[in-house]
Amino acid sequence: MKNSLKYLSVIIVLITFGCTDIIDLKSESNISVDNFYTNYTDLQVGLTSCYKGMQAPLSEEWSMTELRSDNTVENSGTSTSTVKHDLTYLDQFYPPTTHQGVYAYWLQTYNNIRNTNIVLNAAGANYNETTTTIEYEPVTIPVTLAQCKSIAAEASFIRAYHYFNLVRLYGGVFLIHEPITPEQAKTINRSTVDAIYKLIEADLKNAKDNGSTSAYSANSQDLGHANKWAAEALLAKVYLTLNRKAEASVLLQDVISNSGYSLQSTYANVFSVNNEMNSEILFAVRFKGGGLGMGNPLPNNFAPVNSGNAIINGDGDGYNAPALEIIKSSSSYTNYIDPSAARFATNISSFTKGNAATSYFVNKYMSPTIIAYDAESDWPVLRFADVILMKAEADGNVASSLAYINQVRVRAGLAVLTSTNVNTIANFEKALASERRWEFAFENQRWFDIMRFTTTMSTLSPSTDQFPGLKMQGAEYVMKKHLNNMWSKLYSGFTVLPIPLTQLLSNANPDRFLLPIPQYEIDTNSFITIQQNPSY
């Protein structure tokens, strides 16, 4: 078995913490820089804990992204479960400021930012807010500058990944880029969105400049580690979000030409647990089943309720259900259905028990497991398909962009698009947005795509006013259209937490597209006044 990050993590965690400690690697129990980092191996162990720390936020991230998009819904309108209620609040855009999932995601993410800050500090890598660059200073432990830069490159990538998600979900957040005490943290207020993006850019440039430049190899000893190519791809996505398309295009072309990554021959093969870290996966959050405390809980979360062991061992929770819009063909829904049968079958499946109604569920992460909530399946963050579709987005409606879209379509078993089919900018953007929706369904990308396209593409703006009297465009239009479609099919039947259509549509507004700053952060700080996001 190749010595990839997933298996290196198990080995290092077992050696360093002992078998009884591997389940709890939250930042408050991690070894501090003051008493641990004495050599390069110690730095590697610290970095491994940063990778492990990426797992926890994923337990909530889907509910902040996919569930709030037009891809999935919370469909338990008769449940009295507190968890189900919390999911309904997110799905319908009215989470309270005390929402437990919103706070859990925030806390888990900042816990791992703390981990990365400790590792970066130990490696002598510091963020200079004046020059907005990562600078290196000598360290006292016996490591070379090259070793420090290699460790810091990966830690920088992880920190940038976390802040990129935070700024897109919450807006301006707390900019913490070095180890600090809880007392010091109380004196740091929210930074501007621009300031957060400057740190993200600096971190990803550091990861790009100092990360591994080796082309993809299935036999690499570094599978799972963030390298130059992953950093370039993520930085390109940042640039697309900031509407800096020319800069994104240069980075993406480098990945396409020189990284060695490529599309898998079939869509299903991308997600097979027997084919992990394949040529299409630039970066994934890795999980390891087998009772090690490193398994993926999400397959059990997504499997249908009362499915027993038919889908996955230990039954399912029925979370993150595909919206009826994308699983049933009708006169109302035809334009929403993925035309690729192979891709549809990988993404969505169904389960029927006795005379009960058929339950549709997210299928792409299902894998055999002995212990419930302990699956082997990794979570893809950056894929080569993403790279080539981002390249099409960056370059706009030109022949090469259409060719990139067609690469993904052909792999999905679809006919190629021609300049006859795509003869306007609007048609091109519509084709691109549609392809991204189906290709990355349930990978936590759709919400961010909707938000990004609002400012960088015209596709999501309405050609006609479907809602007389309401002024909207882009993301607001898409979500109002989705909620309007789903109200008669789903939400109107809710007997617990019922909601009128007028209120449902009113909730879907730009202010509510940001999550609330957790109320705990505001209420427990007696040093400064923290501003809540508008409308909360």
Side-chain angles (χ1 to χ4, degrees):
M1 177 60 69
K2 48 187 176 290
N3 188 20
S4 67
L5 177 68
K6 177 182 289 193
Y7 306 98
L8 179 63
S9 298
V10 175
I11 294 168
I12 288 181
V13 169
L14 286 171
I15 291 174
T16 308
F17 297 99
C19 293
T20 61
D21 295 326
I22 61 173
I23 294 177
D24 186 8
L25 283 179
K26 293 181 180 179
S27 62
E28 55 263 38
S29 66
N30 282 349
I31 298 171
S32 73
V33 65
D34 295 330
N35 62 10
F36 180 64
Y37 293 102
T38 61
N39 54 49
Y40 182 57
T41 299
D42 294 342
L43 286 176
Q44 289 179 304
V45 171
L47 179 62
T48 298
S49 75
C50 295
Y51 281 109
K52 173 68 168 61
M54 300 181 80
Q55 294 177 349
L58 278 175
S59 64
E60 305 289 345
E61 185 180 302
W62 63 269
S63 65
M64 315 290 153
T65 53
E66 286 295 304
L67 186 60
R68 297 199 303 145
S69 79
D70 53 353
N71 273 356
T72 67
V73 294
E74 170 47 47
N75 60 7
S76 297
T78 60
S79 174
T80 58
S81 162
T82 299
V83 174
K84 293 285 190 178
H85 289 184
D86 279 353
L87 295 176
T88 297
Y89 294 142
L90 288 170
D91 184 27
Q92 299 180 356
F93 294 101
Y94 67 117
T97 59
T98 56
H99 191 282
Q100 289 302 300
V102 170
Y103 179 56
Y105 181 77
W106 172 280
L107 184 63
Q108 292 158 354
T109 301
Y110 269 109
N111 278 344
N112 206 39
I113 287 173
R114 176 184 181 272
N115 290 340
T116 61
N117 286 340
I118 290 174
V119 171
L120 287 163
N121 179 265
N126 302 294
Y127 175 58
N128 186 322
E129 292 191 65
T130 301
T131 61
T132 62
T133 57
I134 304 298
E135 299 176 347
Y136 288 86
E137 62 183 22
V139 296
T140 57
I141 60 177
V143 291
T144 66
L145 179 59
Q147 288 173 325
C148 285
K149 287 186 174 182
S150 175
I151 291 288
E154 295 182 51
S156 291
F157 176 92
I158 296 171
R159 183 170 69 179
Y161 161 84
H162 284 314
Y163 270 118
F164 189 34
N165 285 342
L166 284 175
V167 74
R168 291 182 294 174
L169 291 172
Y170 297 88
V173 293
F174 305 137
L175 183 61
I176 303 174
H177 55 77
E178 59 187 356
I180 59 174
T181 65
E183 291 74 22
Q184 290 172 320
K186 295 285 188 181
T187 66
I188 298 175
N189 214 325
R190 297 178 65 181
S191 292
T192 64
V193 168
D194 181 62
I196 302 298
Y197 272 111
K198 286 181 178 178
L199 171 66
I200 294 168
E201 183 175 9
D203 270 345
L204 291 176
K205 284 183 174 179
N206 183 54
K208 173 179 71 71
D209 293 343
N210 297 300
S212 171
T213 60
S214 298
Y216 173 80
S217 169
N219 298 315
S220 172
Q221 298 298 300
D222 294 323
L223 289 177
H225 290 262
N227 55 25
K228 169 186 176 178
W229 314 113
E232 286 191 334
L234 189 58
L235 182 55
K237 186 163 290 189
V238 171
Y239 284 156
L240 287 177
T241 303
L242 299 175
N243 206 13
R244 294 162 60 177
K245 294 183 178 180
E247 292 167 277
S249 181
V250 173
L251 295 172
L252 295 165
Q253 186 60 61
D254 190 29
V255 176
I256 292 169
S257 299
N258 301 310
S259 70
Y261 290 90
S262 60
L263 293 179
Q264 287 286 288
S265 59
T266 68
Y267 187 75
N269 208 38
V270 178
F271 310 101
S272 170
V273 293
N274 299 315
N275 189 41
E276 293 180 325
M277 299 311 297
N278 55 69
S279 66
E280 188 159 336
I281 307 296
L282 276 76
F283 188 78
V285 177
R286 308 219 65 192
F287 290 90
K288 175 63 179 172
L292 298 167
M294 300 179 69
N296 189 344
L298 293 171
N300 282 97
N301 291 153
F302 297 165
V305 175
N306 297 325
S307 57
N309 297 328
I311 305 301
I312 191 168
N313 189 46
D315 209 347
D317 297 315
Y319 301 161
N320 208 27
L324 287 174
E325 294 169 301
I326 64 174
I327 58 179
K328 288 189 175 181
S329 180
S330 72
S331 59
S332 300
Y333 298 150
T334 301
N335 292 334
Y336 294 95
I337 304 298
D338 184 359
S340 167
R343 194 161 55 188
F344 185 97
T346 298
N347 286 329
I348 300 172
S349 190
S350 62
F351 172 77
T352 305
K353 184 176 182 179
N355 296 323
T358 297
S359 297
Y360 292 88
F361 63 93
V362 174
N363 184 55
K364 74 194 314 177
Y365 304 108
M366 297 300 159
S367 61
T369 179
I370 298 174
I371 303 171
Y373 302 94
D374 187 47
E376 181 79 11
S377 45
D378 296 339
W379 189 277
V381 174
L382 291 164
R383 296 202 275 118
F384 191 74
D386 196 3
V387 169
I388 60 178
L389 289 182
M390 284 196 291
K391 176 64 172 170
E393 181 181 340
D395 292 349
N397 186 23
V398 295
S400 58
S401 295
L402 195 57
Y404 286 128
I405 295 174
N406 281 330
Q407 285 186 43
V408 175
R409 288 180 60 83
V410 169
R411 197 265 297 276
L414 299 175
V416 299
L417 297 175
T418 68
S419 56
T420 302
N421 308 124
V422 184
N423 54 9
T424 66
I425 293 176
N427 285 344
F428 167 78
E429 293 179 345
K430 181 179 179 180
L432 176 60
S434 177
E435 211 58 49
R436 285 193 62 87
R437 182 181 189 184
W438 303 122
E439 180 67 24
F440 308 116
F442 318 124
E443 294 180 42
N444 297 352
Q445 296 223 40
R446 175 62 175 173
W447 175 254
F448 293 135
D449 281 358
I450 293 172
M451 296 299 109
R452 182 173 75 253
F453 292 165
T454 296
T455 57
T456 63
M457 292 171 60
S458 61
T459 300
L460 300 183
S461 297
S463 57
T464 60
D465 189 356
Q466 182 179 346
F467 305 100
L470 293 178
K471 301 299 181 183
M472 70 196 79
Q473 62 179 6
E476 188 174 3
Y477 182 83
V478 169
M479 293 315 302
K480 278 182 163 62
K481 184 176 182 180
H482 162 70
L483 294 173
N484 186 67
N485 282 341
M486 294 306 301
W487 190 81
S488 61
K489 306 295 189 297
L490 178 65
Y491 302 124
S492 63
F494 278 23
T495 57
V496 178
L497 302 179
I499 186 169
L501 177 59
T502 52
Q503 183 61 51
L504 185 63
L505 296 178
S506 177
N507 288 348
N509 67 77
D511 284 344
R512 288 287 171 138
F513 291 162
L514 286 179
L515 297 169
I517 301 299
Q519 194 65 37
Y520 181 85
E521 296 286 358
I522 296 173
D523 292 345
T524 59
N525 195 318
S526 58
F527 292 89
I528 57 177
T529 300
I530 300 171
Q531 190 72 32
Q532 182 57 271
N533 281 331
S535 86
Y536 289 105

Coordinates of all heavy atoms in Angstrom, one line a residue, residues 341-380:
A341 N -27.3 9.8 -17.8 CA -27.8 8.7 -17.0 C -26.7 8.2 -16.0 O -27.0 7.8 -14.9 CB -28.4 7.6 -17.9
A342 N -25.5 8.1 -16.5 CA -24.4 7.5 -15.7 C -24.1 8.4 -14.6 O -23.9 8.0 -13.4 CB -23.2 7.3 -16.6
R343 N -24.1 9.7 -14.8 CA -23.8 10.7 -13.7 C -24.9 10.7 -12.7 O -24.7 10.7 -11.5 CB -23.5 12.0 -14.4 CG -22.9 13.0 -13.4 CD -22.2 14.2 -14.2 NE -23.2 14.8 -15.1 CZ -22.8 15.7 -16.0 NH1 -21.5 16.1 -16.1 NH2 -23.7 16.3 -16.8
F344 N -26.1 10.7 -13.2 CA -27.3 10.7 -12.4 C -27.3 9.5 -11.4 O -27.5 9.6 -10.2 CB -28.6 10.7 -13.2 CG -29.9 10.8 -12.4 CD1 -30.5 12.0 -12.2 CD2 -30.4 9.7 -11.8 CE1 -31.6 12.1 -11.5 CE2 -31.6 9.8 -11.1 CZ -32.2 11.0 -10.9
A345 N -27.0 8.3 -12.0 CA -27.0 7.1 -11.2 C -25.9 7.1 -10.1 O -26.1 6.5 -9.0 CB -26.8 5.8 -12.1
T346 N -24.8 7.7 -10.4 CA -23.7 7.9 -9.4 C -24.1 8.8 -8.3 O -23.9 8.6 -7.1 CB -22.4 8.3 -10.0 OG1 -22.0 7.4 -10.9 CG2 -21.3 8.6 -8.9
N347 N -24.8 9.9 -8.6 CA -25.2 10.9 -7.7 C -26.4 10.6 -6.8 O -26.4 10.9 -5.6 CB -25.4 12.2 -8.4 CG -24.1 12.9 -8.9 OD1 -23.1 12.7 -8.3 ND2 -24.2 13.6 -10.0
I348 N -27.4 10.0 -7.4 CA -28.7 9.8 -6.8 C -29.2 8.4 -6.9 O -29.0 7.7 -8.0 CB -29.7 10.7 -7.4 CG1 -29.3 12.2 -7.2 CG2 -31.1 10.5 -6.8 CD1 -30.2 13.2 -8.0
S349 N -29.7 7.8 -5.8 CA -30.4 6.5 -5.9 C -31.6 6.6 -5.0 O -31.9 7.6 -4.4 CB -29.4 5.4 -5.3 OG -30.0 4.2 -5.6
S350 N -32.4 5.5 -5.0 CA -33.6 5.5 -4.3 C -33.8 4.2 -3.4 O -33.1 3.2 -3.7 CB -34.8 5.6 -5.3 OG -34.8 4.5 -6.1
F351 N -34.7 4.3 -2.5 CA -34.9 3.2 -1.6 C -36.4 3.1 -1.3 O -37.0 4.2 -0.9 CB -34.1 3.3 -0.3 CG -34.5 2.3 0.7 CD1 -34.0 1.0 0.6 CD2 -35.3 2.6 1.8 CE1 -34.4 0.0 1.6 CE2 -35.6 1.7 2.8 CZ -35.2 0.3 2.7
T352 N -37.0 2.0 -1.4 CA -38.4 1.8 -1.0 C -38.6 0.6 -0.1 O -38.1 -0.5 -0.3 CB -39.3 1.5 -2.3 OG1 -39.1 2.6 -3.2 CG2 -40.8 1.5 -1.9
K353 N -39.2 0.9 1.1 CA -39.4 -0.2 2.1 C -40.9 -0.5 2.2 O -41.7 0.4 2.6 CB -38.9 0.3 3.4 CG -38.9 -0.8 4.5 CD -38.3 -0.3 5.8 CE -38.3 -1.4 6.8 NZ -37.6 -1.0 8.1
G354 N -41.3 -1.7 1.8 CA -42.7 -2.1 1.9 C -43.6 -1.1 1.1 O -43.3 -0.9 -0.1
N355 N -44.6 -0.7 1.7 CA -45.6 0.2 1.1 C -45.3 1.7 1.3 O -46.0 2.6 0.9 CB -47.0 0.0 1.6 CG -47.5 -1.4 1.2 OD1 -47.2 -1.9 0.1 ND2 -48.2 -2.1 2.1
A356 N -44.1 2.0 1.9 CA -43.7 3.4 2.2 C -43.3 4.1 0.9 O -43.0 3.4 -0.1 CB -42.5 3.4 3.2
A357 N -43.4 5.4 1.0 CA -43.0 6.2 -0.2 C -41.5 6.0 -0.5 O -40.7 5.7 0.4 CB -43.3 7.6 0.1
T358 N -41.2 6.1 -1.8 CA -39.8 6.0 -2.2 C -38.9 7.1 -1.7 O -39.4 8.3 -1.7 CB -39.7 5.9 -3.7 OG1 -40.4 4.8 -4.2 CG2 -38.2 5.9 -4.2
S359 N -37.8 6.8 -1.1 CA -36.9 7.8 -0.6 C -35.7 8.0 -1.6 O -35.0 7.0 -1.9 CB -36.3 7.5 0.8 OG -37.4 7.4 1.7
Y360 N -35.4 9.2 -2.0 CA -34.2 9.4 -2.8 C -33.1 9.9 -2.0 O -33.4 10.7 -1.0 CB -34.6 10.4 -3.9 CG -35.5 9.9 -5.0 CD1 -36.9 10.0 -4.8 CD2 -35.1 9.2 -6.1 CE1 -37.8 9.5 -5.7 CE2 -35.9 8.7 -7.1 CZ -37.3 8.9 -6.9 OH -38.2 8.4 -7.8
F361 N -31.9 9.6 -2.3 CA -30.8 9.9 -1.4 C -29.5 10.2 -2.2 O -29.4 9.7 -3.4 CB -30.5 8.9 -0.3 CG -30.1 7.5 -0.9 CD1 -28.8 7.2 -1.0 CD2 -31.1 6.6 -1.2 CE1 -28.4 5.9 -1.5 CE2 -30.7 5.3 -1.7 CZ -29.4 5.0 -1.8
V362 N -28.6 10.9 -1.6 CA -27.3 11.2 -2.2 C -26.5 9.9 -2.2 O -26.2 9.3 -1.1 CB -26.5 12.3 -1.4 CG1 -25.1 12.4 -2.0 CG2 -27.3 13.6 -1.5
N363 N -26.1 9.4 -3.3 CA -25.5 8.0 -3.5 C -24.0 8.0 -3.6 O -23.3 7.0 -3.4 CB -26.1 7.3 -4.7 CG -25.7 5.9 -4.8 OD1 -25.8 5.1 -3.9 ND2 -25.2 5.6 -6.0
K364 N -23.4 9.1 -4.0 CA -22.0 9.1 -4.5 C -21.0 8.8 -3.4 O -19.8 8.4 -3.7 CB -21.6 10.4 -5.2 CG -21.4 11.6 -4.4 CD -21.4 12.9 -5.2 CE -20.6 12.9 -6.4 NZ -20.7 14.2 -7.1
Y365 N -21.3 8.9 -2.1 CA -20.4 8.6 -1.1 C -20.6 7.3 -0.4 O -19.9 7.0 0.6 CB -20.4 9.8 0.0 CG -20.2 11.1 -0.7 CD1 -21.2 12.0 -0.8 CD2 -18.9 11.4 -1.2 CE1 -21.0 13.3 -1.4 CE2 -18.7 12.7 -1.8 CZ -19.7 13.6 -1.9 OH -19.5 14.8 -2.5
M366 N -21.6 6.5 -0.8 CA -21.9 5.3 -0.2 C -20.8 4.2 -0.4 O -20.4 4.1 -1.5 CB -23.2 4.7 -0.7 CG -24.4 5.6 -0.3 SD -24.6 5.9 1.4 CE -25.6 7.4 1.5
S367 N -20.4 3.6 0.7 CA -19.4 2.6 0.6 C -19.6 1.6 1.7 O -20.1 1.9 2.8 CB -17.9 3.2 0.6 OG -17.7 3.8 1.9
P368 N -19.1 0.3 1.5 CA -19.3 -0.7 2.6 C -18.6 -0.2 3.9 O -17.5 0.3 3.8 CB -18.7 -1.9 2.0 CG -18.7 -1.7 0.5 CD -18.5 -0.2 0.3
T369 N -19.2 -0.5 5.0 CA -18.6 -0.2 6.3 C -19.0 -1.1 7.3 O -20.2 -1.6 7.3 CB -18.9 1.3 6.7 OG1 -18.3 1.6 8.0 CG2 -20.4 1.5 6.9
I370 N -18.2 -1.5 8.2 CA -18.5 -2.4 9.3 C -19.1 -1.7 10.5 O -20.1 -2.1 11.1 CB -17.2 -3.1 9.8 CG1 -16.6 -4.0 8.7 CG2 -17.5 -4.0 11.0 CD1 -15.3 -4.6 9.0
I371 N -18.6 -0.5 10.8 CA -19.1 0.4 11.9 C -19.9 1.5 11.3 O -19.5 2.2 10.3 CB -17.9 0.9 12.7 CG1 -17.1 -0.3 13.2 CG2 -18.4 1.7 13.9 CD1 -15.8 0.1 13.9
A372 N -21.0 1.8 11.9 CA -21.8 3.0 11.4 C -21.0 4.3 11.6 O -20.2 4.4 12.6 CB -23.1 3.0 12.2
Y373 N -21.2 5.2 10.7 CA -20.6 6.5 10.7 C -19.1 6.4 10.7 O -18.3 7.2 11.3 CB -21.0 7.3 12.0 CG -22.5 7.5 12.1 CD1 -23.3 6.6 12.9 CD2 -23.2 8.5 11.5 CE1 -24.7 6.7 13.0 CE2 -24.5 8.7 11.6 CZ -25.3 7.8 12.3 OH -26.6 7.9 12.4
D374 N -18.6 5.4 9.9 CA -17.2 5.2 9.9 C -16.8 4.7 8.5 O -16.0 3.7 8.3 CB -16.8 4.1 10.9 CG -15.3 3.9 11.1 OD1 -14.6 4.9 11.2 OD2 -14.9 2.7 11.1
A375 N -17.2 5.4 7.5 CA -17.0 5.0 6.1 C -15.6 5.4 5.6 O -14.9 6.2 6.2 CB -18.1 5.6 5.2
E376 N -15.2 4.7 4.6 CA -13.9 4.9 4.0 C -13.8 6.1 3.0 O -12.7 6.7 2.8 CB -13.4 3.7 3.2 CG -12.1 3.7 2.6 CD -10.9 3.5 3.6 OE1 -11.2 3.1 4.7 OE2 -9.8 3.7 3.2
S377 N -14.9 6.5 2.5 CA -15.0 7.4 1.3 C -14.4 8.8 1.7 O -14.8 9.4 2.7 CB -16.4 7.6 0.8 OG -17.3 7.8 1.9
D378 N -13.5 9.3 0.8 CA -12.9 10.6 0.9 C -13.9 11.7 0.4 O -14.9 11.3 -0.3 CB -11.6 10.7 0.1 CG -10.5 9.8 0.6 OD1 -10.6 9.4 1.8 OD2 -9.6 9.5 -0.1
W379 N -13.6 12.9 0.7 CA -14.5 14.0 0.3 C -13.7 14.9 -0.7 O -12.8 15.5 -0.3 CB -15.0 14.9 1.4 CG -16.1 15.9 1.0 CD1 -15.8 17.1 0.4 CD2 -17.5 15.7 1.0 NE1 -17.0 17.7 0.1 CE2 -18.1 16.8 0.5 CE3 -18.3 14.7 1.5 CZ2 -19.4 17.0 0.4 CZ3 -19.7 14.8 1.4 CH2 -20.2 16.0 0.8
P380 N -14.1 14.9 -2.0 CA -13.3 15.7 -3.0 C -13.5 17.2 -2.8 O -14.6 17.6 -2.6 CB -13.9 15.2 -4.3 CG -15.3 14.8 -4.0 CD -15.2 14.2 -2.6

